[in-house]
Amino acid sequence: MSDNDMQGMREKIDSIDEQISELFRERMETSLRIAEYKKEHDIPVTNDRREKEVLLKISDQIGEPFDDYGRLVYGSILDASRSCQNDYLARRSDLADRIEYAIENTPKTFPKKAVVACQGVAGSHSQAACDKLFELPSVMFFTSFEGVFNAVEKGLCSYGILPIENSSYGSVGAVYDLMQNYNFHIARAIRLRVSHNLMAKAGTKLSDIKEIFSHEQAVGQCGEFLRSLGDVKVTACENTALAAKMVAESPRKDVAAISSKECLDLYGLEMIKTNIQVTDNNYTRFICISKNLEIYPGADKISLIMSLPHVPRSLYQTIAKFAALGINLTKLESRPIPGSDFEFLFYFDLEASVYSDKLMNLLSIMENQPETFVFLGSYSERI
């Protein structure tokens, strides 16, 4: 094949693309006219039977060996057509009003002082995240993550700090599981660099240690170090700071804790080994939750909870809607719905702004659908 042959084929491709572009525009304009008819006659946008008929006909027309590719392309065209009709037919949802109200009534700066709920005891990583978000917080400690959710929902605390993800060990499943049970919003987020250290009572040596206490996330982040210790027992507890407190109060001399450096002086312990996590680039992401929706200037992230129809392509179609708007999906977490038969709730984190009219149309469409949809918040994330 010569260079001239290649150039000729490229020119042919360009000519075909021009025809496809013109036909695509014509198809979308026709789709909008159909949307007008559907609006007049109160007909739903989605017609599964019609879409299956179209894909089957296209597959037969194209034939082998390109029929699979044809269904893929025309599936995307149908997604685009459906989204276009949904945008045209979108009814303004209550969510749009709630977001507008929050934007107008949220203070222009994040508060310096507040009563904040944290899980654990003094010296916890949640407290460290709290201290970075608030200049003068009044911290109330709770033994469980559920206690933090409860305190915020019932108004005992204005805000709550919760870890949701670690760069080395993944999501904090217990927090995600609790999200579906409480009414809350995300007001801010922060990524905290976390170092884990092995500490014990004065005079304890590494060779003396028979049992180590810490939170399961910290245990996972320090897996390599713990495996190097051989048959030392590892016991999970509610919090890394609580682990240090337990060691300090224990009568035993053969126990240690994996905790933060702040806990050394706080609980009168000695450092045995520093930075025992798998990697120095170890970050935990914390969210700051509030009862009411608060949207502060600079908010550029959005978090959502959704259930999706238990049918093929439902997750793909949802992601495709965000992709069509050029929205970057930074987190997708699925958690089982209790009592259901292998059905899931999906948690989405998006890099997006609520000031986008097209995004607000999409969110209104999603809220008006029969499936579960929860807008968790629009917020910024500190690093």
Short mmCIF file of all heavy atoms in Angstrom, two decimals, residues 110-138:
data_model
loop_
_atom_site.label_atom_id
_atom_site.label_comp_id
_atom_site.label_asym_id
_atom_site.label_seq_id
_atom_site.Cartn_x
_atom_site.Cartn_y
_atom_site.Cartn_z
N PHE A 110 -16.32 29.04 55.24
CA PHE A 110 -16.54 27.89 56.10
C PHE A 110 -16.31 28.30 57.56
O PHE A 110 -15.38 29.05 57.85
CB PHE A 110 -15.58 26.76 55.71
CG PHE A 110 -15.97 25.41 56.24
CD1 PHE A 110 -17.09 24.75 55.75
CD2 PHE A 110 -15.22 24.79 57.23
CE1 PHE A 110 -17.45 23.50 56.23
CE2 PHE A 110 -15.57 23.54 57.72
CZ PHE A 110 -16.70 22.89 57.21
N PRO A 111 -17.13 27.82 58.51
CA PRO A 111 -17.01 28.28 59.90
C PRO A 111 -15.68 27.92 60.54
O PRO A 111 -15.10 26.88 60.25
CB PRO A 111 -18.18 27.58 60.60
CG PRO A 111 -18.50 26.41 59.75
CD PRO A 111 -18.22 26.83 58.35
N LYS A 112 -15.21 28.80 61.43
CA LYS A 112 -13.99 28.53 62.19
C LYS A 112 -14.28 27.74 63.46
O LYS A 112 -13.47 26.94 63.90
CB LYS A 112 -13.29 29.84 62.56
CG LYS A 112 -12.81 30.66 61.36
CD LYS A 112 -12.13 31.94 61.82
CE LYS A 112 -11.63 32.75 60.63
NZ LYS A 112 -10.96 34.00 61.07
N LYS A 113 -15.46 27.98 64.02
CA LYS A 113 -15.85 27.32 65.26
C LYS A 113 -17.10 26.48 65.02
O LYS A 113 -17.98 26.88 64.26
CB LYS A 113 -16.15 28.34 66.36
CG LYS A 113 -15.00 29.25 66.72
CD LYS A 113 -15.43 30.26 67.79
CE LYS A 113 -14.31 31.20 68.18
NZ LYS A 113 -14.74 32.17 69.22
N ALA A 114 -17.16 25.33 65.69
CA ALA A 114 -18.35 24.48 65.59
C ALA A 114 -18.23 23.34 66.58
O ALA A 114 -17.13 22.99 67.01
CB ALA A 114 -18.51 23.95 64.17
N VAL A 115 -19.37 22.76 66.94
CA VAL A 115 -19.38 21.52 67.71
C VAL A 115 -19.32 20.38 66.70
O VAL A 115 -20.20 20.25 65.83
CB VAL A 115 -20.65 21.41 68.58
CG1 VAL A 115 -20.63 20.11 69.36
CG2 VAL A 115 -20.74 22.60 69.52
N VAL A 116 -18.28 19.57 66.79
CA VAL A 116 -18.00 18.57 65.76
C VAL A 116 -17.93 17.18 66.38
O VAL A 116 -17.25 16.97 67.39
CB VAL A 116 -16.68 18.89 65.04
CG1 VAL A 116 -16.46 17.91 63.88
CG2 VAL A 116 -16.67 20.32 64.52
N ALA A 117 -18.61 16.22 65.76
CA ALA A 117 -18.59 14.83 66.21
C ALA A 117 -17.46 14.08 65.52
O ALA A 117 -17.29 14.16 64.30
CB ALA A 117 -19.92 14.16 65.90
N CYS A 118 -16.67 13.34 66.31
CA CYS A 118 -15.60 12.50 65.79
C CYS A 118 -15.70 11.11 66.41
O CYS A 118 -16.07 10.97 67.58
CB CYS A 118 -14.22 13.09 66.10
SG CYS A 118 -13.82 14.60 65.20
N GLN A 119 -15.36 10.11 65.65
CA GLN A 119 -15.34 8.75 66.18
C GLN A 119 -14.01 8.49 66.86
O GLN A 119 -12.95 8.89 66.37
CB GLN A 119 -15.56 7.74 65.04
CG GLN A 119 -15.74 6.31 65.48
CD GLN A 119 -14.44 5.51 65.45
OE1 GLN A 119 -13.47 5.93 64.83
NE2 GLN A 119 -14.42 4.37 66.11
N GLY A 120 -14.07 7.79 68.02
CA GLY A 120 -12.84 7.42 68.71
C GLY A 120 -12.61 8.22 69.98
O GLY A 120 -13.56 8.62 70.66
N VAL A 121 -11.34 8.47 70.27
CA VAL A 121 -10.95 9.23 71.45
C VAL A 121 -9.91 10.27 71.03
O VAL A 121 -9.51 10.32 69.87
CB VAL A 121 -10.36 8.30 72.55
CG1 VAL A 121 -11.42 7.34 73.07
CG2 VAL A 121 -9.15 7.52 72.02
N ALA A 122 -9.47 11.09 71.99
CA ALA A 122 -8.48 12.13 71.70
C ALA A 122 -7.25 11.53 71.03
O ALA A 122 -6.75 10.48 71.44
CB ALA A 122 -8.09 12.84 72.99
N GLY A 123 -6.77 12.21 69.99
CA GLY A 123 -5.60 11.74 69.26
C GLY A 123 -5.93 10.95 68.01
O GLY A 123 -5.02 10.51 67.31
N SER A 124 -7.21 10.80 67.70
CA SER A 124 -7.61 10.02 66.53
C SER A 124 -7.31 10.78 65.24
O SER A 124 -7.16 12.01 65.24
CB SER A 124 -9.10 9.69 66.60
OG SER A 124 -9.87 10.88 66.47
N HIS A 125 -7.26 10.05 64.15
CA HIS A 125 -7.05 10.69 62.85
C HIS A 125 -8.26 11.56 62.48
O HIS A 125 -8.10 12.58 61.80
CB HIS A 125 -6.80 9.64 61.77
CG HIS A 125 -5.51 8.90 61.94
ND1 HIS A 125 -4.28 9.53 61.91
CD2 HIS A 125 -5.25 7.59 62.15
CE1 HIS A 125 -3.32 8.64 62.09
NE2 HIS A 125 -3.88 7.45 62.24
N SER A 126 -9.45 11.16 62.93
CA SER A 126 -10.63 11.99 62.68
C SER A 126 -10.48 13.35 63.35
O SER A 126 -10.86 14.38 62.79
CB SER A 126 -11.89 11.29 63.20
OG SER A 126 -12.20 10.16 62.40
N GLN A 127 -9.92 13.37 64.54
CA GLN A 127 -9.69 14.65 65.22
C GLN A 127 -8.65 15.47 64.46
O GLN A 127 -8.78 16.69 64.35
CB GLN A 127 -9.22 14.43 66.65
CG GLN A 127 -9.05 15.75 67.41
CD GLN A 127 -8.48 15.59 68.81
OE1 GLN A 127 -8.05 14.51 69.20
NE2 GLN A 127 -8.46 16.67 69.57
N ALA A 128 -7.62 14.81 63.94
CA ALA A 128 -6.60 15.53 63.16
C ALA A 128 -7.23 16.18 61.93
O ALA A 128 -6.91 17.32 61.59
CB ALA A 128 -5.48 14.57 62.76
N ALA A 129 -8.14 15.45 61.26
CA ALA A 129 -8.84 16.01 60.11
C ALA A 129 -9.72 17.18 60.54
O ALA A 129 -9.78 18.21 59.86
CB ALA A 129 -9.68 14.93 59.43
N CYS A 130 -10.39 17.02 61.68
CA CYS A 130 -11.23 18.09 62.23
C CYS A 130 -10.42 19.35 62.50
O CYS A 130 -10.84 20.46 62.17
CB CYS A 130 -11.90 17.59 63.50
SG CYS A 130 -12.90 18.81 64.36
N ASP A 131 -9.24 19.17 63.08
CA ASP A 131 -8.39 20.33 63.43
C ASP A 131 -7.89 21.06 62.19
O ASP A 131 -7.57 22.26 62.26
CB ASP A 131 -7.20 19.86 64.28
CG ASP A 131 -7.62 19.44 65.68
OD1 ASP A 131 -8.72 19.84 66.12
OD2 ASP A 131 -6.86 18.69 66.33
N LYS A 132 -7.80 20.37 61.06
CA LYS A 132 -7.39 21.03 59.83
C LYS A 132 -8.54 21.77 59.17
O LYS A 132 -8.33 22.77 58.48
CB LYS A 132 -6.79 20.00 58.86
CG LYS A 132 -5.38 19.54 59.24
CD LYS A 132 -4.77 18.67 58.17
CE LYS A 132 -3.31 18.35 58.48
NZ LYS A 132 -2.45 19.56 58.44
N LEU A 133 -9.76 21.29 59.38
CA LEU A 133 -10.91 21.95 58.78
C LEU A 133 -11.41 23.13 59.61
O LEU A 133 -11.89 24.13 59.06
CB LEU A 133 -12.05 20.93 58.60
CG LEU A 133 -11.89 19.92 57.45
CD1 LEU A 133 -13.00 18.88 57.51
CD2 LEU A 133 -11.92 20.63 56.10
N PHE A 134 -11.34 23.01 60.93
CA PHE A 134 -11.84 24.05 61.83
C PHE A 134 -10.70 24.60 62.67
O PHE A 134 -9.86 23.85 63.15
CB PHE A 134 -12.92 23.48 62.76
CG PHE A 134 -14.13 22.93 62.06
CD1 PHE A 134 -14.18 21.60 61.68
CD2 PHE A 134 -15.21 23.75 61.76
CE1 PHE A 134 -15.29 21.08 61.04
CE2 PHE A 134 -16.33 23.24 61.13
CZ PHE A 134 -16.37 21.90 60.76
N GLU A 135 -10.69 25.91 62.87
CA GLU A 135 -9.64 26.53 63.68
C GLU A 135 -9.85 26.27 65.18
O GLU A 135 -8.90 26.01 65.91
CB GLU A 135 -9.59 28.03 63.41
CG GLU A 135 -9.07 28.38 62.02
CD GLU A 135 -8.92 29.87 61.84
OE1 GLU A 135 -8.90 30.61 62.85
OE2 GLU A 135 -8.81 30.33 60.68
N LEU A 136 -11.10 26.37 65.64
CA LEU A 136 -11.41 26.21 67.06
C LEU A 136 -12.61 25.28 67.24
O LEU A 136 -13.69 25.71 67.70
CB LEU A 136 -11.68 27.57 67.70
CG LEU A 136 -10.52 28.56 67.72
CD1 LEU A 136 -11.01 29.94 68.13
CD2 LEU A 136 -9.43 28.08 68.69
N PRO A 137 -12.46 24.01 66.91
CA PRO A 137 -13.61 23.10 67.06
C PRO A 137 -13.82 22.67 68.51
O PRO A 137 -12.87 22.57 69.29
CB PRO A 137 -13.20 21.90 66.20
CG PRO A 137 -11.71 21.88 66.31
CD PRO A 137 -11.27 23.32 66.37
N SER A 138 -15.08 22.44 68.86
CA SER A 138 -15.42 21.80 70.13
C SER A 138 -15.78 20.36 69.79
O SER A 138 -16.85 20.10 69.24
CB SER A 138 -16.60 22.53 70.78
OG SER A 138 -16.97 21.88 71.98
#
